[in-house]
Amino acid sequence: MKKLVILLFICFIAGSAEAAHLKGGWIQYEYLGPGQSANSSRYQITVRQYLDFNSTSGQVDAFVAIGIFNGLTNATVQTINVNLTSTDFPSKTDYDLCLNPRPPNPLVRFRIDNYVTTVELPNINGGYTLAIQRCCRINGIANVSNSGSVGVTYTTKIAGIINGVDYSANSNPVFVQRDTALICFNAPFTFDFGASDADGDSLAYSFCDGVNTPTTEAKPVTPSNPPYPSVPYFSNYSGNSPMGPTVTINRNTGLITGIAPSIVGDYVVAVCVEEYRNGELIGSTRKEIHITVGNCTLAGASLKPNYITCDGFTMNFQNESTSSNITGYLWDFGENNAPVSSSPTPTHTYSDTGTYTLKLKVTSSGGCQDSTTAQVRVYPGFTPDFNVQGTCYINSYNFIDATTTAYGVVNSWRWDLGDLTSTADTSTRKDTAWRYSSPQSVQVRLITSNSKGCVDTIVKTVTILDRPIVNLAFRDTLICSIDTLRLNATVGNGSVAWVPDRSASIARMSGSNTPNPLVYPVDTTRYVVTVNDNGCINTDTVTVNVLDFIDVELGLDTSICRTDQFTLSPVSDALSYQWTTSTGVTITANTKYPLVQPLTNTMYYVTANLGRCQDRDSVFVLVAPYPEARVNNDTIICFGDRVQLSGSIVGAGFAWSPTSSMINANTLFPIAGPSRTTQYVLTAIDTIGCDRPVSDTVTIIVTPPVNAYAGRDTFVVAGRPIQLAATGGTSYLWRPTTGLDDPTTDAPIATLPATVDSIRYIARVSGTGGCFAEDDVIVRVFKNGPDLYVPSAFTPNGDGRNDVIRPVGVGIAQLQHFRVFNRWGQLLFATSQFGKGWDGSYSGVQQPAGTYVFEAIGTDQLGNRIYKKGTLVLIR
């Protein structure tokens, strides 16, 4: 059984000062009997004022001021101060297991201060209005604008004499005190705002305006006179709809039901209960409270009211509840012997059409269980459709329903005919019609349903024409003067008339009032067709060109390369062509321009017809083989070498390219000497039928040059070894071999006797493909032993000659240092590497011309120390 959970939360949040803690209130009066004065009554007045539970003593009113006003004139009768009599502290301590998140205990609690007094009032026409005023409300109320500066007024009406009848002996309705309840956002809820009446009067309930105060005074000493202004509601809210359109109140019971708003926060809700006695309205009591929508959900089972499928047997389901703490689902799809499902979002395919009862049971993490049911209707085969009949905007367009249904009958139609210039372009008839004011394109919508509950929509774009449609099969054609032609026009309703632009003896026609007349003109004629459909008129024209005879020309005989295709191109006004060949090969496409591929010499014949006019022609096609060209294989050569190419052709001529690095390029065996890798193309041509050149290519791959380097010329001491070094290749060979330990290595060691003054070694350096290059190095022999030599002068002027002074070692294995000093002993330059020297500057500053001192120390190959010191001259 579906469980209905009351989810209202009248939540009172503490303010900071004065009325910021007020949450509503209402006034009750009870008739005690006649007063001491004649024609008067005594009443007990009870004011119930709702406050935040945590209100401080400074926020609690020691008394309230009740204003009593004439019910007809609103004039002040009297103001009385009523002291605080008693206080109640209602709270909510138990919550439904399905609530999520679970609130702390007690979450919903507040304070009700009661102010009770007795008053005696004369019985007058219209009775009295009672009012109490306070300001201001809390900030941030969800349905009231700028609520922090909005006041509150509690009011009620005491019955008096109405239409000559005295109703003064009356007590107003008493609201039930069921204000501790909980609301969750977007959740269904009910709240009992009902009241009881001791006099047995009829009661009628309605939402009414929350009432403001004319001033922002916190505690007015004297309440202002009625009438009172409404609180300023935000858009989408009002006194009649304080929580939005999804929340309503039952006029007979005072039961508030609906779906709570999606915005969490406080809402001002005022309910007015009217008293009727014998059909006469005698009084009205207003109760105003703040209802707070909380950030919580219910672990409930919620389904749509019903489900229907009209286009298949498969349906998808889901729980419509937004609760996040549901842990278990049990779905029963209502079919006998059909399996149940525990999926949150099951899919089920029904075995047959019919109406089924869907059941859902859910379980939450707190142990809550809830269930619900819904009706499922399965009736596929419902297809909305409609047809349109119309000619032009002058006449009405007819819209004819073409909806089909496999089950039940189509029983409702809602047409929207898309005329943006009118609001009357709708209909609920099965078929309808509409006359549009101008040519246009409209969107026509049909919503249709059947007796099984299927509802569907179809939208079509309909073009409203300015004239009837006339479609011609052709607008320009050609016939022979001895032939007859049928004209073809596709039209809708209406009359058809063909009229030629020539005399009847020339235009000659039969069936001029039909869409497809026969014509047999003797000269070129234009035929105009006119369609008239109830005043909608359209015309079009066909031009029939007439010839007395035709010619066909295939042109001069030609040639083609074997395996090539070409298109036969006759010149003629004929409309049909028949082709044959001398070889018997069939041309399947009897078109004007067939594509052919002859493999042997062929004569092509064509017969051209324009009706019964005919002509013939032929063309001969010579088929010649393609020329041929061949060259030798790709070759690798060394940089600087040449190679002879070898070519052969079948054809009338040939040409090589490129020829810039060739000798004898006009022969089939030219000499090529490229400096880089080059492709040479031999092209053969023919002049006896196939004019397509054919080419072949040979690539001459040029190996990059070998950069042979044997080293710089050097010195050696007689009898001392020196290592030579060559670079640039992959293999090496030195000559002569005098004094060399291994002439086939890149770095042989040479030892020369004193009998040799100098020797020139040549190194052959070989690279990829056997390519080689040579370089030499001169070795001079010193016979006086190892030594260090320093030139006596240098000229650092930037001309590239003698710009740097450096030591030269003969038989020196290591330079310990080379230093240069000025005449004051300042060190200007120092190095321990051979090949480096002084450029005549110090710290970037060029030194002056003059004499400088050097010191050089080295070690020979036997470890002996060689020392040299002297002077050198810098010349500028």
Side-chain angles (χ1 to χ4, degrees):
M1 179 176 179
K2 172 67 180 176
K3 176 169 58 180
L4 181 62
V5 182
I6 297 179
L7 288 180
L8 263 170
F9 185 11
I10 305 172
C11 187
F12 304 101
I13 301 174
S16 60
E18 294 297 334
H21 58 290
L22 294 175
K23 300 298 179 182
W26 64 288
I27 303 173
Q28 177 192 350
Y29 69 90
E30 180 182 357
Y31 176 71
L32 299 179
Q36 295 180 356
S37 302
N39 298 321
S40 66
S41 300
R42 292 175 59 248
Y43 301 96
Q44 178 176 291
I45 308 296
T46 302
V47 177
R48 292 180 174 86
Q49 184 165 262
Y50 292 75
L51 295 86
D52 182 82
F53 180 84
N54 296 312
S55 296
T56 65
S57 59
Q59 295 171 321
V60 175
D61 294 332
F63 68 91
V64 295
I66 302 178
I68 303 176
F69 306 95
N70 186 291
L72 293 179
T73 66
N74 292 328
T76 301
V77 175
Q78 62 176 302
T79 299
I80 58 175
N81 294 330
V82 184
N83 293 326
L84 176 63
T85 304
S86 64
T87 300
D88 300 319
F89 294 95
S91 64
K92 183 173 181 62
T93 58
D94 61 317
Y95 300 96
D96 195 284
L97 293 175
C98 296
L99 192 63
N100 179 46
R102 190 121 180 102
N105 253 342
L107 173 64
V108 183
R109 58 181 182 175
F110 48 92
R111 173 184 181 127
I112 301 178
D113 286 341
N114 303 305
Y115 302 83
V116 182
T117 189
T118 301
V119 64
E120 181 176 326
L121 297 171
N123 303 334
I124 62 174
N125 286 326
Y128 300 91
T129 298
L130 305 186
I132 298 172
Q133 294 180 335
R134 296 294 307 275
C135 189
C136 296
R137 302 173 188 260
I138 64 172
N139 288 311
I141 295 178
N143 62 345
V144 175
S145 174
N146 196 24
S147 61
S149 61
V150 176
V152 60
T153 300
Y154 315 136
T155 66
T156 192
K157 293 277 289 185
I158 294 180
I161 301 172
I162 303 174
N163 295 326
V165 180
D166 190 354
Y167 296 101
S168 300
N170 178 69
S171 299
N172 71 340
V174 178
F175 288 100
V176 295
Q177 294 295 105
R178 298 173 182 172
D179 301 323
T180 55
L182 190 65
I183 280 188
C184 296
F185 77 98
N186 276 344
F189 73 91
T190 60
F191 175 67
D192 188 359
F193 226 109
S196 61
D197 188 85
D199 303 309
D201 296 327
S202 298
L203 304 181
Y205 302 86
S206 64
F207 287 131
C208 52
D209 287 341
V211 181
N212 199 352
T213 57
T215 69
T216 58
E217 183 181 355
K219 298 179 181 180
V221 176
T222 302
S224 57
N225 299 68
Y228 304 111
S230 168
V231 298
Y233 288 98
F234 281 121
S235 60
N236 301 325
Y237 301 103
S238 66
N240 294 326
S241 182
M243 300 182 73
T246 62
V247 178
T248 59
I249 186 170
N250 188 297
R251 179 171 177 80
N252 297 319
T253 64
L255 189 67
I256 297 176
T257 60
I259 304 297
S262 60
I263 300 176
V264 173
D266 280 16
Y267 291 79
V268 170
V269 177
V271 172
C272 291
V273 55
E274 297 175 332
E275 295 178 79
Y276 289 87
R277 186 176 298 174
N278 299 322
E280 186 75 54
L281 175 63
I282 64 173
S284 176
T285 300
R286 179 192 311 269
K287 179 180 179 180
E288 181 180 322
I289 58 176
H290 286 193
I291 295 180
T292 298
V293 176
N295 186 16
C296 56
T297 59
L298 274 179
S302 178
L303 295 174
K304 298 176 181 178
N306 58 73
Y307 298 82
I308 187 169
T309 174
C310 300
D311 57 0
F313 291 89
T314 300
M315 297 194 70
N316 300 315
F317 301 102
Q318 67 176 22
N319 187 14
E320 300 300 321
S321 170
T322 59
S323 177
S324 60
N325 69 332
I326 296 178
T327 58
Y329 299 83
L330 183 63
W331 296 86
D332 184 339
F333 303 105
E335 273 196 301
N336 293 331
N337 302 321
V340 296
S341 173
S342 59
S343 170
T345 56
T347 298
H348 181 70
T349 300
Y350 286 89
S351 59
D352 199 358
T353 59
T355 301
Y356 302 89
T357 299
L358 174 69
K359 300 178 182 179
L360 169 62
K361 181 178 181 181
V362 298
T363 303
S364 72
S365 57
C368 165
Q369 288 189 341
D370 193 17
S371 63
T372 188
T373 61
Q375 187 182 77
V376 178
R377 287 177 289 175
V378 182
Y379 294 102
F382 181 71
T383 305
D385 196 10
F386 64 87
N387 298 318
V388 183
Q389 294 177 348
T391 54
C392 74
Y393 74 98
I394 295 176
N395 300 318
S396 295
Y397 272 70
N398 296 315
F399 300 91
I400 302 170
D401 174 54
T403 302
T404 59
T405 182
Y407 302 94
V409 295
V410 180
N411 59 4
S412 74
W413 303 264
R414 282 183 290 166
W415 294 91
D416 182 350
L417 303 177
D419 191 343
L420 300 180
T421 65
S422 174
T423 59
D425 62 331
T426 60
S427 175
T428 57
R429 294 183 299 173
K430 180 178 185 295
D431 303 321
T432 189
W434 185 255
R435 184 175 179 271
Y436 295 88
S437 60
S438 63
Q440 57 188 291
S441 180
V442 296
Q443 297 287 318
V444 177
R445 175 181 283 102
L446 170 62
I447 303 175
T448 182
S449 64
N450 67 7
S451 57
K452 295 298 183 180
C454 294
V455 180
D456 206 350
T457 302
I458 183 172
V459 178
K460 290 185 178 181
T461 300
V462 179
T463 301
I464 309 303
L465 303 174
D466 64 342
R467 64 192 69 186
I469 295 176
V470 177
N471 291 324
L472 297 178
F474 48 84
R475 286 185 172 81
D476 197 326
T477 190
L478 187 66
I479 67 171
C480 192
S481 59
I482 59 176
D483 288 333
T484 299
L485 173 68
R486 182 178 295 277
L487 304 181
N488 290 295
T490 302
V491 299
N493 298 323
S495 62
V496 180
W498 291 87
V499 178
D501 67 345
R502 306 292 295 272
S503 65
S505 61
I506 296 176
R508 297 189 301 177
M509 176 174 58
S510 63
S512 61
N513 293 321
T514 68
N516 310 113
L518 293 174
V519 297
Y520 38 98
V522 297
D523 201 354
T524 297
T525 303
R526 296 175 69 250
Y527 295 88
V528 178
V529 59
T530 300
V531 178
N532 188 328
D533 188 355
N534 293 324
C536 297
I537 299 174
N538 195 7
T539 62
D540 209 342
T541 303
V542 176
T543 300
V544 180
N545 299 282
V546 180
L547 297 178
D548 292 330
F549 61 90
I550 61 166
D551 292 321
V552 60
E553 295 288 342
L554 281 176
L556 300 176
D557 295 344
T558 187
S559 62
I560 189 175
C561 300
R562 183 176 288 122
T563 72
D564 280 2
Q565 294 178 323
F566 81 104
T567 300
L568 295 169
S569 301
V571 177
S572 176
D573 291 324
L575 297 180
S576 67
Y577 299 84
Q578 297 289 328
W579 296 89
T580 58
T581 66
S582 61
T583 60
V585 175
T586 301
I587 299 177
T588 56
N590 282 316
T591 63
K592 186 174 183 178
Y593 304 110
L595 183 67
V596 296
Q597 186 183 33
L599 301 178
T600 61
N601 296 342
T602 303
M603 181 73 78
Y604 289 94
Y605 304 94
V606 63
T607 300
N609 286 84
L610 176 61
R612 288 180 288 174
C613 294
Q614 188 179 89
D615 195 22
R616 294 181 176 86
D617 198 12
S618 63
V619 64
F620 179 75
V621 178
L622 172 68
V623 179
Y626 270 94
E628 297 178 8
R630 295 184 180 87
V631 294
N632 55 298
N633 296 330
D634 297 345
T635 304
I636 300 175
I637 66 172
C638 297
F639 180 82
D641 288 353
R642 296 178 179 178
V643 63
Q644 186 173 39
L645 306 182
S646 175
S648 63
I649 67 164
V650 175
F654 67 90
W656 289 94
S657 67
T659 59
S660 58
S661 56
M662 272 189 175
I663 302 175
N664 300 327
N666 58 348
T667 71
L668 289 172
F669 305 97
I671 304 297
S675 59
R676 60 179 180 273
T677 298
T678 303
Q679 288 186 327
Y680 293 96
V681 180
L682 175 62
T683 301
I685 57 176
D686 193 6
T687 59
I688 58 172
C690 181
D691 59 356
R692 300 284 186 89
V694 176
S695 301
D696 195 13
T697 302
V698 60
T699 301
I700 304 303
I701 302 170
V702 179
T703 300
V706 176
N707 296 316
Y709 180 64
R712 298 177 61 183
D713 295 345
T714 187
F715 304 92
V716 67
V717 177
R720 300 287 181 87
I722 184 173
Q723 188 170 42
L724 306 178
T727 60
T730 58
S731 64
Y732 303 86
L733 183 63
W734 295 82
R735 68 178 193 277
T737 59
T738 303
L740 299 179
D741 64 338
D742 184 0
T744 63
T745 183
D746 61 331
I749 295 176
T751 306
L752 298 172
T755 57
V756 177
D757 293 327
S758 65
I759 188 170
R760 178 173 176 267
Y761 287 109
I762 300 174
R764 172 171 286 193
V765 180
S766 300
T768 304
C771 300
F772 66 88
E774 292 183 343
D775 193 22
D776 60 21
V777 60
I778 297 175
V779 180
R780 293 181 175 83
V781 180
F782 282 82
K783 302 175 182 179
N784 296 328
D787 204 350
L788 285 167
Y789 298 92
V790 177
S792 59
F794 74 114
T795 58
N797 56 8
D799 63 356
R801 301 176 60 188
N802 297 321
D803 287 335
V804 177
I805 191 166
R806 59 176 66 87
V808 178
V810 177
I812 300 301
Q814 181 180 2
L815 177 65
Q816 292 182 355
H817 67 254
F818 169 65
R819 297 173 179 170
V820 179
F821 304 87
N822 61 19
R823 58 183 178 175
W824 294 284
Q826 181 183 10
L827 178 64
L828 302 178
F829 176 78
T831 184
S832 60
Q833 298 181 28
F834 277 120
K836 290 190 175 182
W838 185 45
D839 63 358
S841 66
Y842 175 70
S843 297
V845 178
Q846 293 183 351
Q847 298 302 299
T851 301
Y852 294 83
V853 177
F854 74 85
E855 181 184 64
I857 301 176
T859 305
D860 67 9
Q861 294 168 339
L862 300 178
N864 298 318
R865 184 171 181 270
I866 308 298
Y867 178 82
K868 292 293 284 289
K869 183 177 182 180
T871 60
L872 58 88
V873 178
L874 189 155
I875 302 173
R876 292 195 184 276

